[in-house]
Amino acid sequence: MPMKLRRHPLLIALLSATTGVLGCLLIGNLLPEPHELKQPIPHHLASSDRQLRTSMGALFGSNFIPGNRIETLANGNQIFPAMLRAIRGARQTISFETYIYWRGAIAEEFADALSAKAREGLSVKVLLDWIGSLPMDEQLIERMQASGVEVVRFRPVTWYTIDRVNNRTHRKLLIVDGRVGFTGGVGIADEWIGDARTPNEWRDNHYRVEGPAAAEFQSAFAEHWIEATGELLLGDRFFPEIAPAGDHAAQVVVSSTHQRNVMHLMLMTAIAAAQKSIRIATPYFVPDELTRQQLLEARKRGVDIRIIVPGPRTDARIVRKASRHLWGDLLQAGVRISEYQPTFFHCKLVIIDDIWTSVGSTNIDDRALRLNDEANINLFDQQFAGAQTALFDKDAAVSKPYTFADWQSRTASEKISDWVSSLARLQI
C-alpha cells in the first residue's frame, strides 16, 4: 500500500467499504434468482381440462379476456407495415416500448412516423431499454424529441441503479389509442426487414391485438412509464372503453422485477398439462434444470416434443454452444431438436396439444424467465393454435434435425467449449 494512503486510515476504510459494496452488488446481480418451484409440477390438470384455463387465468397475469381479434404477422414484410399503419392512423396516443431500437432504414422510418404524429399534437411516448438501445443513433432520439416525442431510456446504468443493471425490459409493446396493441419478437432494426429469404433477413413473428386485451398492454407500458418518469397514465385517452373486435379470448401475462418467476411458473404449468404434443420455437433455448426435468416428465407420458432453435446463423454463438451442452438427456429421451438453416431464427412460440398457445417476447432461458421484464399473450384456442402449428411446421421443414448421435459425436474441443459456455448460462 502506498505510504501516503497509510497516513489516512479513514480514507482507507472508505475505499474498502466502497469496494466491498460494489463487490456485493456485482455478486448479487450475477447470482441466479431463487426458484419458487423445487421440483417439476405433476400432471394433475390436462390441457383439455376446463379447470386448467381457470387456474392459469387466476394465477398468471390477467384472466382470459374475450372479444379480441388477433392477427399473426410473419417477418418484416408483414410486421413493419402493420405497425407503421397503426402509428400513422393514431388519433390520440401512441405508447411504444422496446428492447432493440438500432439504426438503419426502418429505424428512420419509425422515427419519422412517430415524429409526425407528435407534431400533430398526439401524446407519443417511447420507452427504450437503456442497454438494448445502446447501438441506436442518438440523432434519431434528438429528432424525435425535437418533434415532441417523449423518448425515455429505461433503467439507465448509474451508481444508484447498479443493483438493477441485470433487470432489463425485454418487452416489445406498441399500443395505439389504447385499442390496438402489438407484441412479439421484433425489434426496430434492419435485420428484421424482408421475408427471411436470405441470411440478412431474420425470421420472426409479431402479433396485432385489437380489442379489450389491448388495455392490458397499455397497463404493462404504464407500469414501466411511471417507474421511468414518475408520470401515471390515466383517462380515456390511454384506457378507453373498448368494444369487442373479434372472437379470441386472450390472457396477457407480464413479468416484472421482483415478480419475474411468473413466466417460469406459467411455462412449467403448461408443460405439465401436455397430453399429446409440445412445440417450442425460441432463439435462445438454455433451459434450467427444472425446465429440462419438466420436459423429461412429459416424455415419460409419451408426449411428442419438438423444438426449433437457430442453426449456425445466430447473433450469439455462446448461447448456441451453452444450449447444446444441455441437450443430451433431452435427445436421449426422444425430444426432437432441429436447427433452423436459412437465417437467424428469432420466433418465440409455445404450443401445447394444439389447444394452448403462448407468444410474445419471452425466450426459454434464465435471462427471460428470471431477469428480464417480459410480455406474452396466451390463448386456449384451437384455431389460433392450428395457425401457429402451420407456421411451426413450415419452419421445421427448413430446419436440420440434431440427433443424440450428433450430440455424442461432437469433437473434444466442441464438448469443452460447449461446457465452458454453459457456465455463463445464468447471464447470457
Side-chain angles (χ1 to χ4, degrees), residues 125-420:
K125 302 180 185 297
V126 175
L127 191 59
L128 307 174
D129 185 77
W130 187 84
I131 288 180
S133 65
L134 282 177
M136 186 177 184
D137 188 342
E138 288 295 325
Q139 291 183 354
L140 288 177
I141 293 179
E142 293 170 3
R143 184 196 311 173
M144 286 191 283
Q145 289 177 331
S147 299
V149 178
E150 298 175 78
V151 183
V152 178
R153 282 322 223 304
F154 186 70
R155 291 182 187 158
V157 177
T158 64
W159 67 269
Y160 56 85
T161 62
I162 195 71
D163 63 322
R164 292 184 298 173
V165 67
N166 236 349
N167 302 134
R168 313 313 313 169
T169 177
H170 192 248
R171 299 173 185 173
K172 283 88 173 176
L173 296 172
L174 171 64
I175 309 100
V176 173
D177 294 333
R179 301 175 183 277
V180 176
F182 292 81
T183 193
V186 160
I188 309 304
D190 284 358
E191 284 81 350
W192 278 275
I193 292 176
D195 197 24
R197 296 162 298 194
T198 71
N200 296 325
E201 300 177 358
W202 289 2
R203 169 76 185 95
D204 214 338
N205 293 328
H206 221 64
Y207 299 85
R208 181 185 183 275
V209 180
E210 182 179 358
E216 297 295 320
F217 288 175
Q218 188 77 288
S219 175
F221 177 86
E223 173 199 20
H224 277 173
W225 188 256
I226 193 172
E227 176 184 333
T229 69
E231 180 189 6
L232 179 62
L233 304 184
L234 293 169
D236 59 7
R237 289 195 309 156
F238 298 101
F239 296 99
E241 292 187 14
I242 306 175
D247 298 325
H248 290 123
Q251 178 189 35
V252 177
V253 181
V254 295
S255 60
S256 302
T257 304
H258 308 310
Q259 298 176 350
R260 289 174 292 271
N261 280 349
V262 64
M263 289 298 185
H264 187 261
L265 289 169
M266 180 191 76
L267 180 65
M268 297 304 99
T269 302
I271 293 174
Q275 296 172 280
K276 298 177 181 178
S277 65
I278 297 171
R279 303 286 180 267
I280 297 174
T282 179
Y284 308 111
F285 181 65
V286 191
D288 64 9
E289 183 178 355
L290 268 171
T291 304
R292 297 196 302 275
Q293 289 178 8
Q294 199 78 63
L295 290 169
L296 291 172
E297 289 296 318
R299 279 297 303 141
K300 290 177 184 177
R301 300 193 302 273
V303 176
D304 177 41
I305 304 176
R306 304 184 188 187
I307 301 170
I308 302 176
V309 297
R313 307 186 194 280
T314 177
D315 70 337
R317 291 186 64 228
I318 187 173
V319 174
R320 184 177 182 232
K321 296 177 73 62
S323 175
R324 189 168 58 189
H325 174 73
L326 305 171
W327 292 357
D329 290 347
L330 297 174
L331 292 168
Q332 191 172 25
V335 174
R336 290 189 273 180
I337 300 175
S338 298
E339 296 183 313
Y340 190 79
Q341 298 298 303
T343 183
F344 179 41
F345 185 77
H346 200 256
C347 300
K348 307 163 197 297
L349 172 66
V350 180
I351 311 166
I352 305 293
D353 292 340
D354 295 324
I355 296 174
W356 181 88
T357 308
S358 187
V359 297
S361 65
T362 308
N363 299 306
I364 312 297
D365 61 6
D366 270 287
R367 175 155 293 282
L369 297 176
R370 293 196 178 84
L371 291 173
N372 290 340
D373 290 4
E374 307 279 3
N376 268 40
I377 320 171
N378 298 340
L379 294 93
F380 278 94
D381 188 299
Q382 288 184 325
Q383 184 178 2
F384 184 82
Q388 304 313 303
T389 299
L391 286 173
F392 183 96
D393 290 345
K394 183 178 179 181
D395 291 330
V398 289
S399 299
K400 182 179 179 181
Y402 192 97
T403 66
F404 184 57
D406 294 329
W407 190 81
Q408 287 182 306
S409 64
R410 289 171 299 156
T411 65
S413 63
E414 285 177 327
K415 291 177 181 178
I416 292 171
S417 63
D418 288 357
W419 171 75
V420 170

Side-chain angles (χ1 to χ4, degrees), residues 96-139:
F96 185 35
E97 177 176 350
T98 189
Y99 179 73
I100 288 177
Y101 194 137
W102 293 343
R103 61 189 70 206
I106 198 64
E108 297 272 351
E109 192 168 359
F110 268 80
D112 289 343
L114 293 165
S115 297
K117 300 311 289 188
R119 287 193 297 269
E120 291 178 15
L122 277 69
S123 168
V124 183
K125 302 180 185 297
V126 175
L127 191 59
L128 307 174
D129 185 77
W130 187 84
I131 288 180
S133 65
L134 282 177
M136 186 177 184
D137 188 342
E138 288 295 325
Q139 291 183 354

Side-chain angles (χ1 to χ4, degrees), residues 27-45:
I27 292 171
N29 269 283
L30 295 178
L31 287 175
E33 291 295 317
H35 288 268
E36 292 175 334
L37 291 175
K38 304 302 181 184
Q39 57 190 6
I41 297 174
H43 180 64
H44 288 328
L45 291 176

